[in-house]
Amino acid sequence: MEVLFVGSECAPFVKTGGLADVIGVVPKALTGRGVRIRVLLPAYQTLADLAANGREVTRYDSLMGGSARVVEVKANGLDLLLLEARHLFDRPGNIYLGPDGNDWGDNAIRFGALCQVGADLAEKGAGKWKPDIVHVHDWQAGLVPLYLRQRGCNVPCVVSIHNVAFQGLFDAGLLEKLGISKSYFTSEGIEYYGRISFLKAALVCCEKIATVSPTYARELMSPEFGMGLEGVLQARRADLSGILNGIDLDVWNPETDPMLPAGYNARSLKKKGLARAELAERFGLEPPRDAPLFCVISRLTSQKGLDLLVQTLPALTGRGAALALLGTGEKQLEDSFLAATRRYPRQVGAVIGYDEALSHLMQGGADAILIPSRFEPCGLTQLYGLRYGTIPVVSRTGGLADTVIDANEAALIANCATGLQFSPVTAFALENAIHRTCDLFAQPQIWSAMIRRAMKHPVGWENSAKSYAALYAELTMMSGKA
Ligand SMILES: Nc1ncnc2c1ncn2[C@@H]1O[C@H](COP(=O)(O)OP(=O)(O)O[C@H]2O[C@H](CO)[C@@H](O)[C@H](O)[C@H]2O)[C@@H](O)[C@H]1O
């Protein structure tokens, strides 16, 4: 079965968050299950060299105001289709944001173009290749199902929601430029409070909807989490499924990770101590042996609940614990953490920025990873934490609730705890969780048993790859191709 992925990020080539990790690994996870995936993504400036080595498969004299072409290239075990359109994607800096920190003014056109090309490839294929299914990811690829429906093309589509907070909302005046028939601009269609919603377009036009954990699939249908799309999702309940994300076990492997001073496994945890020492040194911290070194690796946005962590720093440091934070995002949060590094110089360290290599050292060296998200579709950093024996301390929401077993009394007696959960998502509950973590850390037998269990917890793609293969099989049956 041939599947076309359409998305805006793909690790290791271009990444701003978890979307990239997932698009970069699912094709590998499905190899051997009779599914071959090609990934269409924009040839951003950083991908120009890669695209230059590609073989041209389609050419456009005019695509949204400029010439363009699609090249195919194999890299890192992935079959990529790169959309070269210099007027849209050849710019420095962030792939979504201009130098002023605001969205590029033409994002609707940039990703609308990606969707048009996605629809063309779905309809006509490239050379001898033609996809049986199209799988689009997040709003940036949201118009593909609409374009296909508009053309009367019946290649079945599935959309994955990685984060419903990002919906791709644009001025209704762009309908014509985007080539969308006005008949779709209704409340049952793609209209969202007077604007065009790329994500809603996918939700109303595709055959199936997937999201990245079973709990988030349920949460999405509630007003609290659905961000205005709960009604649409409720109406499509029968087509909505939650398939848990996994991680790339080759890239995230504490035994072979080149970013760690020494590889380790559950039987050689002493070597994890070497990473702890290196991490402490990198952040200028002096964590004592009897208190945990926490880490945070995150986009700094209100989704991630890190404003709550700022409020709990007096308690965390009061317990003698330390915190190493790596993140970038909202200025106010960046400033709060930088201020905390001055207030607690030996106990709080922060690197404001994006650093993939450092994130590996942190997963290896920290004792626990804090993830106090207000909502979290799945979350990947708790999965990396589990694999590296870095105990996740998480809010009970979305995929965090589905992947971490809270160290409550019952779980401790049954020997199955792998981390800590807290709820509701308040500073008070987070503070309690930090105290509980410190208490457990002070009991080395219980703590090291938890580490070993965490490291054994299955965080790969085995189960979820089966679920995707089943979903694709169902789609081909629906379209009568089986
Ligand atoms: N400053 C930094 N430096 C280096 N690395 C950094 C970093 N900040 C973040 N990262 C990395 O980016 C990724 C973040 O992935 P997450 O799944 O935790 O969240 P995100 O909200 O981006 O993804 C959305 O999509 C994913 C994929 O479906 C869902 O799991 C998630 O819940 C949803 O919000 C991880 O690989 C993390 O290590």
Side-chain angles (χ1 to χ4, degrees), residues 59-318:
R59 174 172 279 277
Y60 293 84
D61 290 335
S62 173
L63 176 74
M64 300 285 194
S67 64
R69 62 181 199 143
V70 176
V71 299
E72 65 177 7
V73 58
K74 211 176 167 78
N76 227 52
L78 293 169
D79 290 307
L80 301 177
L81 293 162
L82 299 175
L83 170 58
E84 273 190 330
R86 300 192 62 175
H87 58 299
L88 302 173
F89 301 114
D90 184 10
R91 5 184 128 161
N94 187 288
I95 58 175
Y96 307 121
L97 312 174
D100 57 358
N102 293 320
D103 289 348
W104 291 109
D106 58 350
N107 272 353
I109 303 304
R110 297 170 77 220
F111 294 105
L114 176 72
C115 293
Q116 284 192 357
V117 173
D120 290 344
L121 286 167
E123 193 181 9
K124 301 177 204 133
K128 287 190 189 133
W129 171 81
K130 195 162 183 304
D132 302 299
I133 289 168
V134 186
H135 188 159
V136 304
H137 296 265
D138 274 355
W139 73 264
Q140 295 88 349
L143 294 184
V144 177
L146 179 146
Y147 288 141
L148 288 174
R149 185 170 284 196
Q150 203 167 255
R151 297 174 192 184
C153 170
N154 63 359
V155 178
C157 284
V158 52
V159 55
S160 272
I161 306 175
H162 295 267
N163 192 339
V164 84
F166 301 111
Q167 300 186 358
L169 299 178
F170 300 102
D171 196 275
L174 287 166
L175 279 173
E176 200 181 326
K177 189 142 196 214
L178 289 167
I180 301 173
S181 152
K182 278 210 174 93
S183 62
Y184 283 96
F185 195 66
T186 62
S187 55
E188 294 76 41
I190 68 168
E191 186 259 350
Y192 182 89
Y193 296 98
R195 308 182 80 193
I196 304 168
S197 164
F198 275 38
L199 183 61
K200 193 174 171 211
L203 299 181
V204 297
C205 293
C206 67
E207 276 67 30
K208 291 278 178 193
I209 301 168
T211 189
V212 289
S213 71
T215 294
Y216 193 58
R218 288 189 295 274
E219 288 173 344
L220 273 176
M221 290 183 280
S222 71
E224 194 188 343
F225 292 97
M227 308 245 176
L229 291 175
E230 59 275 8
V232 184
L233 288 156
Q234 282 164 23
R236 299 222 50 195
R237 177 189 291 268
D239 298 316
L240 171 65
S241 55
I243 302 177
L244 205 57
N245 282 339
I247 66 172
D248 190 327
L249 298 176
D250 297 328
V251 175
W252 295 94
N253 181 351
E255 287 197 88
T256 56
D257 195 323
M259 307 306 166
L260 302 183
Y264 65 88
N265 59 32
R267 290 178 308 283
S268 58
L269 285 172
K270 273 209 176 116
K271 292 195 198 148
K272 184 169 166 58
L274 298 176
R276 189 186 200 254
E278 188 169 322
L279 173 61
E281 199 189 316
R282 281 282 288 272
F283 280 80
L285 304 172
E286 291 171 11
R289 278 176 173 274
D290 60 355
L293 167 53
F294 290 97
C295 77
V296 168
I297 303 157
S298 185
R299 292 185 293 111
L300 303 181
T301 63
S302 78
Q303 173 194 349
K304 303 293 181 179
L306 294 165
D307 49 314
L308 305 176
L309 179 58
V310 175
Q311 295 175 50
T312 60
L313 287 178
L316 185 149
T317 51

Side-chain angles (χ1 to χ4, degrees), residues 15 17-18 21 162 245 299 303-304 353 355 376-380:
K15 168 169 169 178
D21 296 78
H162 295 267
N245 282 339
R299 292 185 293 111
Q303 173 194 349
K304 303 293 181 179
D355 188 336
E376 195 57 77
C378 179
L380 296 173

Side-chain angles (χ1 to χ4, degrees), residues 370-448:
L370 286 166
I371 312 172
S373 304
R374 292 195 164 84
F375 67 94
E376 195 57 77
C378 179
L380 296 173
T381 54
Q382 84 278 14
L383 302 180
Y384 302 142
L386 288 168
R387 185 119 211 265
Y388 281 63
T390 299
I391 298 301
V393 180
V394 305
S395 49
R396 187 174 301 126
T397 185
L400 300 173
D402 291 336
T403 52
V404 174
I405 302 174
D406 177 51
N408 60 32
E409 285 309 301
L412 288 173
I413 291 168
N415 287 321
C416 62
T418 58
L420 290 91
Q421 291 189 354
F422 67 91
S423 165
V425 192
T426 59
F428 180 69
L430 171 61
E431 192 172 309
N432 272 339
I434 288 169
H435 281 299
R436 282 172 62 211
T437 309
C438 294
D439 293 343
L440 288 166
F441 188 78
Q443 304 171 68
Q445 270 191 337
I446 294 182
W447 187 259
S448 50

